[in-house]
PDB file of all heavy atoms in Angstrom:
ATOM      1  N   GLY A  88     -13.514  -0.468  -0.027  1.00 98.00           N
ATOM      2  CA  GLY A  88     -12.202  -0.142  -0.594  1.00 98.00           C
ATOM      3  C   GLY A  88     -11.403  -1.413  -0.829  1.00 98.00           C
ATOM      4  O   GLY A  88     -11.866  -2.530  -0.528  1.00 98.00           O
ATOM      5  N   ALA A  89     -10.215  -1.233  -1.340  1.00 98.00           N
ATOM      6  CA  ALA A  89      -9.404  -2.399  -1.682  1.00 98.00           C
ATOM      7  C   ALA A  89      -8.929  -3.162  -0.443  1.00 98.00           C
ATOM      8  O   ALA A  89      -8.742  -4.384  -0.492  1.00 98.00           O
ATOM      9  CB  ALA A  89      -8.216  -1.987  -2.535  1.00 98.00           C
ATOM     10  N   THR A  90      -8.735  -2.478   0.657  1.00 98.00           N
ATOM     11  CA  THR A  90      -8.333  -3.179   1.878  1.00 98.00           C
ATOM     12  C   THR A  90      -9.407  -4.194   2.257  1.00 98.00           C
ATOM     13  O   THR A  90      -9.116  -5.375   2.515  1.00 98.00           O
ATOM     14  CB  THR A  90      -8.121  -2.181   3.036  1.00 98.00           C
ATOM     15  OG1 THR A  90      -7.080  -1.276   2.663  1.00 98.00           O
ATOM     16  CG2 THR A  90      -7.753  -2.886   4.330  1.00 98.00           C
ATOM     17  N   HIS A 118       0.911  -5.471  -1.082  1.00 97.00           N
ATOM     18  CA  HIS A 118       0.443  -4.404  -0.193  1.00 97.00           C
ATOM     19  C   HIS A 118       0.188  -4.986   1.201  1.00 97.00           C
ATOM     20  O   HIS A 118      -0.130  -6.176   1.336  1.00 97.00           O
ATOM     21  CB  HIS A 118      -0.857  -3.833  -0.772  1.00 97.00           C
ATOM     22  CG  HIS A 118      -1.308  -2.557  -0.150  1.00 97.00           C
ATOM     23  ND1 HIS A 118      -2.150  -2.525   0.937  1.00 97.00           N
ATOM     24  CD2 HIS A 118      -1.044  -1.264  -0.471  1.00 97.00           C
ATOM     25  CE1 HIS A 118      -2.384  -1.261   1.254  1.00 97.00           C
ATOM     26  NE2 HIS A 118      -1.732  -0.478   0.422  1.00 97.00           N
ATOM     27  N   ASP A 194      -4.758  -8.349  -6.322  1.00 98.00           N
ATOM     28  CA  ASP A 194      -4.999  -6.988  -5.870  1.00 98.00           C
ATOM     29  C   ASP A 194      -4.623  -6.110  -7.063  1.00 98.00           C
ATOM     30  O   ASP A 194      -3.450  -5.875  -7.331  1.00 98.00           O
ATOM     31  CB  ASP A 194      -4.104  -6.690  -4.658  1.00 98.00           C
ATOM     32  CG  ASP A 194      -4.243  -5.246  -4.181  1.00 98.00           C
ATOM     33  OD1 ASP A 194      -4.913  -4.458  -4.863  1.00 98.00           O
ATOM     34  OD2 ASP A 194      -3.664  -4.927  -3.125  1.00 98.00           O
ATOM     35  N   GLN A 197      -3.867  -0.870  -8.339  1.00 98.00           N
ATOM     36  CA  GLN A 197      -3.071   0.121  -9.080  1.00 98.00           C
ATOM     37  C   GLN A 197      -3.229  -0.003 -10.583  1.00 98.00           C
ATOM     38  O   GLN A 197      -2.735   0.845 -11.326  1.00 98.00           O
ATOM     39  CB  GLN A 197      -1.586  -0.018  -8.699  1.00 98.00           C
ATOM     40  CG  GLN A 197      -1.276   0.382  -7.270  1.00 98.00           C
ATOM     41  CD  GLN A 197      -1.402   1.892  -7.033  1.00 98.00           C
ATOM     42  OE1 GLN A 197      -1.510   2.691  -7.965  1.00 98.00           O
ATOM     43  NE2 GLN A 197      -1.396   2.284  -5.776  1.00 98.00           N
ATOM     44  N   THR A 217     -10.241  -0.300  -6.121  1.00 98.00           N
ATOM     45  CA  THR A 217     -10.841   0.762  -5.314  1.00 98.00           C
ATOM     46  C   THR A 217     -11.049   2.012  -6.155  1.00 98.00           C
ATOM     47  O   THR A 217     -10.292   2.268  -7.096  1.00 98.00           O
ATOM     48  CB  THR A 217      -9.937   1.045  -4.091  1.00 98.00           C
ATOM     49  OG1 THR A 217     -10.646   1.830  -3.139  1.00 98.00           O
ATOM     50  CG2 THR A 217      -8.672   1.802  -4.470  1.00 98.00           C
ATOM     51  N   HIS A 219     -10.800   5.247  -5.300  1.00 98.00           N
ATOM     52  CA  HIS A 219      -9.976   6.450  -5.089  1.00 98.00           C
ATOM     53  C   HIS A 219      -8.587   6.392  -5.714  1.00 98.00           C
ATOM     54  O   HIS A 219      -7.809   7.346  -5.611  1.00 98.00           O
ATOM     55  CB  HIS A 219      -9.890   6.809  -3.597  1.00 98.00           C
ATOM     56  CG  HIS A 219      -8.915   6.009  -2.800  1.00 98.00           C
ATOM     57  ND1 HIS A 219      -7.628   6.434  -2.558  1.00 98.00           N
ATOM     58  CD2 HIS A 219      -9.026   4.818  -2.171  1.00 98.00           C
ATOM     59  CE1 HIS A 219      -7.003   5.537  -1.803  1.00 98.00           C
ATOM     60  NE2 HIS A 219      -7.829   4.546  -1.553  1.00 98.00           N
ATOM     61  N   LYS A 220      -8.267   5.277  -6.376  1.00 98.00           N
ATOM     62  CA  LYS A 220      -7.014   5.242  -7.136  1.00 98.00           C
ATOM     63  C   LYS A 220      -7.287   5.388  -8.624  1.00 98.00           C
ATOM     64  O   LYS A 220      -6.385   5.276  -9.440  1.00 98.00           O
ATOM     65  CB  LYS A 220      -6.275   3.927  -6.857  1.00 98.00           C
ATOM     66  CG  LYS A 220      -6.019   3.631  -5.382  1.00 98.00           C
ATOM     67  CD  LYS A 220      -4.634   4.014  -4.920  1.00 98.00           C
ATOM     68  CE  LYS A 220      -4.479   3.852  -3.419  1.00 98.00           C
ATOM     69  NZ  LYS A 220      -3.872   2.585  -3.019  1.00 98.00           N
TER      70      LYS A 220
HETATM   71  C1  LIG B   3      -4.200   1.768  -2.080  1.00 70.39           C
HETATM   72  C2  LIG B   3      -4.006   0.311  -2.157  1.00 70.39           C
HETATM   73  C3  LIG B   3      -4.768  -0.550  -1.379  1.00 70.39           C
HETATM   74  C4  LIG B   3      -5.744  -0.057  -0.338  1.00 70.39           C
HETATM   75  O1  LIG B   3      -6.875   0.495  -0.937  1.00 70.39           O
HETATM   76  P1  LIG B   3      -7.979   1.225  -0.024  1.00 70.39           P
HETATM   77  O2  LIG B   3      -9.127   1.423  -0.955  1.00 70.39           O
HETATM   78  O3  LIG B   3      -7.342   2.509   0.363  1.00 70.39           O
HETATM   79  O4  LIG B   3      -8.297   0.354   1.114  1.00 70.39           O
HETATM   80  C5  LIG B   3      -4.573  -1.903  -1.545  1.00 70.39           C
HETATM   81  N1  LIG B   3      -3.698  -2.380  -2.422  1.00 70.39           N
HETATM   82  C6  LIG B   3      -2.943  -1.586  -3.199  1.00 70.39           C
HETATM   83  C7  LIG B   3      -1.995  -2.174  -4.164  1.00 70.39           C
HETATM   84  C8  LIG B   3      -3.078  -0.213  -3.089  1.00 70.39           C
HETATM   85  O5  LIG B   3      -2.312   0.569  -3.849  1.00 70.39           O
END
Side-chain angles (χ1 to χ4, degrees):
T90 299
H118 192 270
D194 177 353
Q197 292 290 348
T217 194
H219 80 95
K220 306 262 173 96

